[in-house]
Amino acid sequence: MQNRIMITGAGSGLGREIALRWAREGWRLALSDITDGGLQETLKGVREAGGEGFVQRCDVRDYSQLTALAQACEQKFGGIDIIVNNAGVASGGFFDELSLEDWDWQIAINLMGVVKGCKAFLPLLAQSKGKIINIASMAALMQGPAMSNYNVAKAGVVALSESLLVELRQSEVGVHVVCPSFFQTNLLDSFRGPTPAMKAQVGKLLESSPISASDIADYIFRQVAEGEFMILPHEQGRMAWHLKQKNPQMLYDEMAIMAEKMRAKARSVSS
Ligand SMILES: NC(=O)c1ccc[n+]([C@@H]2O[C@H](COP(=O)([O-])OP(=O)(O)OC[C@H]3O[C@@H](n4cnc5c(N)ncnc54)[C@H](O)[C@@H]3O)[C@@H](O)[C@H]2O)c1
């Protein structure tokens, strides 16, 4: 029976809600994050929801911490059936303002964290014929203005997921990639960018979501059960993606107008 799941970034937001959704099905969970407080709270909720598991500190930038987590899953659960590469951070700022350090930081967590998670757990997933769920973003598909480093990291997660989907089919390891639009979590706490004005604009976008992290976790659960590869939880996101595939130029034009408006707003806040 498949019932062992590992989640990175499980101490908050979407990671916590994914944990609770799978816990309700009675799964055993390996919960990891960089801080302990949020993890303990998630574990408490998991137990109340009918699941069981353990927590382990793991910074997804450090491959040795991910392999240690994989080892812990093997020792405590005898293997793993699903991994969710969810840990992530927010960033924003126009390309000319972003430093190379901003780029390194973003790529190290949001892209290489997923690469390392897949690599560390692949031997166990190959044994169980398990599944990888990578949390990307609509940013991977739409390339909104003033977040090029985030867009690139998340587009990399989609490209990695597509590559693995193809390469791992023969070994019967399933792959899913999730691209939500903005939704309310603690993501803004991790925001890094050159201007406070940009952080405020991202904050407004997070608040604008018609669906919650819990709705998204439930949608992911159902779409994974149906074997859907690319999971787009927001209806607006599904429409925008459809439109972009049909008429990309129209989307680029809209994004360029949006970029102009954002620059004007940022200028008015800073003057
Ligand atoms: N909230 C949104 O609008 C939104 C939209 C699209 C995609 N996403 C993605 O969803 C995922 C979850 O984000 P969230 O919105 O729940 O935010 P969140 O900040 O509430 O949760 C992210 C978690 O990741 C952890 N984390 C950060 N850096 C880490 C590291 N180096 N190693 C391990 N853990 C680390 C944080 O401690 C936090 O608990 C992220 O990958 C994010 O990019 C979020």
Side-chain angles (χ1 to χ4, degrees), residues 12 14 33 58-60 86 136 150 154 182-183 185-186 206:
S12 173
L14 182 59
D33 207 306
C58 175
D59 185 328
V60 298
N86 162 78
Y150 187 85
K154 293 297 189 178
F182 294 104
F183 58 97
T185 60
N186 295 319
L206 295 187

Side-chain angles (χ1 to χ4, degrees), residues 16-232:
R16 172 175 294 161
E17 293 301 332
I18 291 173
L20 297 177
R21 183 64 189 85
W22 261 264
R24 290 210 294 276
E25 309 295 320
W27 280 52
R28 288 177 288 164
L29 296 97
L31 305 167
S32 70
D33 207 306
I34 39 175
T35 53
D36 289 329
L39 277 180
Q40 290 301 338
E41 210 173 300
T42 304
L43 183 61
K44 188 166 169 273
V46 157
R47 289 183 172 144
E48 283 164 7
E52 196 34 79
F54 70 95
V55 301
Q56 185 156 320
R57 230 190 238 228
C58 175
D59 185 328
V60 298
R61 284 172 289 192
D62 184 343
Y63 186 61
S64 69
Q65 292 185 28
L66 281 157
T67 54
L69 183 61
Q71 248 171 29
C73 289
E74 196 171 15
Q75 277 161 9
K76 293 175 202 274
F77 294 164
I80 203 78
D81 301 298
I82 297 185
I83 65 161
V84 188
N85 290 303
N86 162 78
V89 289
S91 59
F94 287 102
F95 182 76
D96 54 349
E97 303 163 339
L98 288 169
S99 67
L100 291 178
E101 289 74 23
D102 291 334
W103 275 90
D104 285 342
W105 174 79
Q106 174 57 230
I107 299 294
I109 300 172
N110 283 10
L111 175 55
M112 288 311 295
V114 179
V115 171
K116 289 172 184 173
C118 291
K119 199 162 176 58
F121 278 86
L122 193 54
L124 290 184
L125 290 167
Q127 279 170 26
S128 63
K129 301 196 191 308
K131 295 184 202 322
I132 295 168
I133 303 175
N134 290 332
I135 307 301
S137 165
M138 272 314 284
L141 309 176
M142 305 309 289
Q143 286 85 35
M147 45 197 283
S148 55
N149 55 351
Y150 187 85
N151 293 341
V152 168
K154 293 297 189 178
V157 172
V158 171
L160 170 72
S161 306
E162 288 180 324
S163 307
L164 294 178
L165 177 75
V166 171
E167 284 189 27
L168 299 180
R169 182 180 291 182
Q170 226 181 358
S171 49
E172 295 179 56
V173 174
V175 182
H176 305 266
V177 64
V178 184
C179 298
S181 306
F182 294 104
F183 58 97
Q184 189 63 58
T185 60
N186 295 319
L187 191 63
L188 207 60
D189 293 355
S190 66
F191 181 91
R192 174 168 166 161
T195 64
M198 203 56 74
K199 183 172 179 177
Q201 291 194 34
V202 173
K204 286 213 173 107
L205 288 169
L206 295 187
E207 284 168 16
S208 69
S209 176
I211 56 176
S212 66
S214 157
D215 297 329
I216 293 171
D218 186 52
Y219 189 81
I220 295 170
F221 184 86
R222 287 184 280 117
Q223 293 285 291
V224 167
E226 284 180 20
E228 194 66 45
F229 165 65
M230 190 176 281
I231 300 174
L232 309 182

